[in-house]
Amino acid sequence: MSLHLQDDWQRSVGQYVEIRLGGLLVRTGTVEAVMPDDSLLWLAADGTDSRKMLSKADGYQVFTRYAWNYSASAEETIAASPS
């Protein structure tokens, strides 16, 4: 299953996503909140990873699945996807 660039960060709230910077995988996680203007995004704390704030101005990109591509084990699919 392929991931798609999500320019509208508001649409990713509550979803498990892949974060990339300069085309490289930075982190995966669940989007906890997004500023109304899409300028900032917070990934929820997960295991040893603390809550993280990311700025669109810094070049971060959010990759997610379209709803019709979602599977029950989203985390496993993202982990198995090539970067």
Side-chain angles (χ1 to χ4, degrees), residues 20-70:
R20 297 182 191 175
L21 181 62
L24 300 174
L25 175 65
V26 174
R27 183 170 160 184
T28 58
T30 302
V31 176
E32 187 172 81
V34 175
M35 290 293 291
D37 66 357
D38 267 7
S39 61
L40 299 172
L41 172 146
W42 285 266
L43 285 179
D46 183 29
T48 59
D49 291 326
S50 61
R51 188 173 192 239
K52 176 93 173 158
M53 182 181 73
L54 304 168
S55 171
K56 192 177 266 189
D58 290 335
Y60 288 102
Q61 295 179 305
V62 174
F63 285 80
T64 188
R65 293 174 186 71
Y66 291 129
W68 57 86
N69 286 344
Y70 182 76

